[in-house]
């Protein structure tokens, strides 16, 4: 990981690692792509011809290491890593597409700028029943400390959600857990967070369930998450805000977006071309 200091702040990137990976795979001469995945694409099991499992696992493993400074490829890498044990040609092509995207900006990294506050914020989102193989949803979140992106995650949910609200609700619970962990970490570093932490969600149904104390059949299967979220809201540890889908930064961790939506979100995450 390369560290660069400037008037804007401190930047982290993996430019040399990216260029080495492009050279070793012979992708330096290929045309670059503007997004890590084809927009609205969904990979399936056993699609195409089988490929060498060992080579595929090593290749995807190197991509996983790149996500330490490249949250813009986190969703794409999480998708191709789901086929580690039985990779096929369609999965390998998707992994090569990530490399073509990296070729367009090998020096892109995260900027940490100095701000006058330590506000904790999280954006949570989900893509309901997006996996064509088992219809599980994908959760995604990203958290900011003082306006700087510090953690992010894109992961398939462990169980099948019966509604989009349930999928969103589980993502909200993950986001709150991450905020609480960051709050504890900052307290250990003698930077206690006094003001309530903010969580942004684009699901009015999930926000309504979180504030509604009434039990009914539709929420029994997420009862633990519901009580956990409601407790933090009542303690005013967390404040939930509705945000439009267009302004939802966590979209980039749950969906394969087109360039017109993808590029502005990546910019808002604080990613810049450090070596441009």
């Amino acid at each position: 990981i390369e560290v660069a200091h400037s008037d804007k702040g401190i930047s982290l990137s993996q430019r040399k690692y990216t260029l080495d990976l492009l050279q070793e795979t012979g992708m330096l001469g290929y045309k670059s792509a503007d997004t890590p995945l084809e927009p609205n694409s969904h990979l399936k099991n056993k699609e195409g011809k089988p490929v060498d499992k060992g080579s595929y696992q090593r290749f995807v493993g190197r991509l996983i290491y790149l996500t330490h400074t490249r949250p813009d490829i986190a969703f794409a890498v999480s998708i191709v890593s789901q086929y580690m044990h039985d990779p096929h040609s369609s999965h390998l092509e998707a992994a090569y597409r990530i490399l073509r995207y990296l070729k367009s900006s090998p020096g892109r990294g995260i900027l940490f700028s100095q701000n006058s506050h330590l506000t904790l914020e999280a954006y949570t989102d989900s893509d309901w029943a997006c996996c064509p193989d088992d219809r599980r949803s994908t959760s995604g979140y990203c958290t900011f400390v003082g306006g700087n992106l510090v953690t992010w995650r894109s992961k398939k949910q462990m169980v099948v959600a019966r509604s989009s609200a349930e999928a969103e609700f589980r993502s909200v619970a993950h986001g709150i857990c991450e905020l609480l962990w960051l709050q504890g970490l900052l307290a250990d570093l003698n930077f206690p967070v006094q003001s309530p932490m903010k969580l942004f969600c684009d699901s009015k149904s999930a926000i309504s369930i979180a504030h509604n104390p009434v039990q009914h059949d539709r929420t029994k299967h997420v009862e633990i998450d519901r009580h956990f979220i409601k407790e933090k809201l009542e303690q005013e540890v967390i404040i939930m805000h509705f945000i439009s889908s267009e302004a939802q930064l966590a979209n980039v961790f749950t969906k394969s977006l087109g360039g017109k939506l993808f590029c502005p979100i990546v910019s808002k995450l604080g990613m810049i071309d450090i070596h441009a």
Side-chain angles (χ1 to χ4, degrees), residues 4 20 101 117 183 201 208 232 270:
D20 288 345
Y101 168 71
H117 63 88
Q183 184 186 45
C201 175
S208 176
K232 300 308 174 186

Side-chain angles (χ1 to χ4, degrees), residues 138-191:
T138 295
S139 290
Y141 66 74
C142 55
T143 60
F144 293 78
V145 176
N148 295 303
L149 178 68
V150 291
T151 65
W152 55 88
R153 193 179 192 189
S154 175
K155 185 176 177 62
K156 185 192 288 190
Q157 294 184 1
M158 299 298 293
V159 296
V160 177
R162 294 166 58 187
S163 67
S164 59
E166 179 185 341
E168 292 278 359
F169 207 63
R170 295 186 190 281
S171 296
V172 167
H174 291 315
I176 290 178
C177 287
E178 190 71 6
L179 285 175
L180 294 173
W181 180 80
L182 286 170
Q183 184 186 45
L185 177 63
L186 289 172
D188 289 342
L189 297 173
N190 293 322
F191 289 101

Side-chain angles (χ1 to χ4, degrees), residues 21 24-25 50-63 80 83-85 87-88 91-92 95-96 99:
L21 181 56
E24 290 173 16
T25 54
V51 298
D52 182 70
K53 184 168 71 172
S55 299
Y56 182 84
Q57 290 177 341
R58 287 190 294 271
F59 180 25
V60 175
R62 299 194 67 177
L63 290 175
V80 297
Y83 303 95
M84 291 280 228
H85 300 295
H88 284 65
H91 313 139
L92 186 61
Y96 279 132
L99 278 184

Side-chain angles (χ1 to χ4, degrees), residues 93-264:
E93 289 171 9
Y96 279 132
R97 164 84 182 204
I98 299 173
L99 278 184
R100 288 174 51 212
Y101 168 71
L102 291 170
K103 182 180 181 295
S104 65
S105 54
R108 181 171 292 171
I110 306 174
L111 173 67
F112 296 96
S113 56
Q114 185 174 356
N115 296 311
S116 59
H117 63 88
L118 273 180
T119 304
L120 284 178
E121 298 174 328
Y123 294 78
T124 66
D125 191 31
S126 70
D127 193 9
W128 180 47
C130 59
C131 180
D133 296 318
D134 55 19
R135 287 304 171 190
R136 293 185 184 180
S137 308
T138 295
S139 290
Y141 66 74
C142 55
T143 60
F144 293 78
V145 176
N148 295 303
L149 178 68
V150 291
T151 65
W152 55 88
R153 193 179 192 189
S154 175
K155 185 176 177 62
K156 185 192 288 190
Q157 294 184 1
M158 299 298 293
V159 296
V160 177
R162 294 166 58 187
S163 67
S164 59
E166 179 185 341
E168 292 278 359
F169 207 63
R170 295 186 190 281
S171 296
V172 167
H174 291 315
I176 290 178
C177 287
E178 190 71 6
L179 285 175
L180 294 173
W181 180 80
L182 286 170
Q183 184 186 45
L185 177 63
L186 289 172
D188 289 342
L189 297 173
N190 293 322
F191 289 101
V193 177
Q194 304 295 343
S195 57
M197 297 177 286
K198 300 177 182 179
L199 186 139
F200 297 93
C201 175
D202 61 3
S203 171
K204 291 183 179 180
S205 298
I207 295 175
S208 176
I209 294 172
H211 287 90
N212 184 6
V214 179
Q215 282 267 121
H216 48 73
D217 290 341
R218 288 185 301 165
T219 61
K220 281 184 178 178
H221 45 288
V222 288
E223 183 178 350
I224 295 176
D225 284 341
R226 192 187 69 83
H227 282 293
F228 169 68
I229 294 171
K230 185 174 180 294
E231 178 184 88
K232 300 308 174 186
L233 290 172
E234 290 177 343
Q235 294 173 349
E236 297 185 349
V237 174
I238 302 289
I239 297 178
M240 290 184 69
H241 297 276
F242 174 75
I243 191 171
S244 66
S245 296
E246 292 76 17
Q248 175 58 272
L249 301 185
N251 266 338
V252 77
F253 301 106
T254 60
K255 304 171 183 70
S256 53
L257 303 174
K260 291 183 178 179
L261 292 174
F262 180 81
C263 295

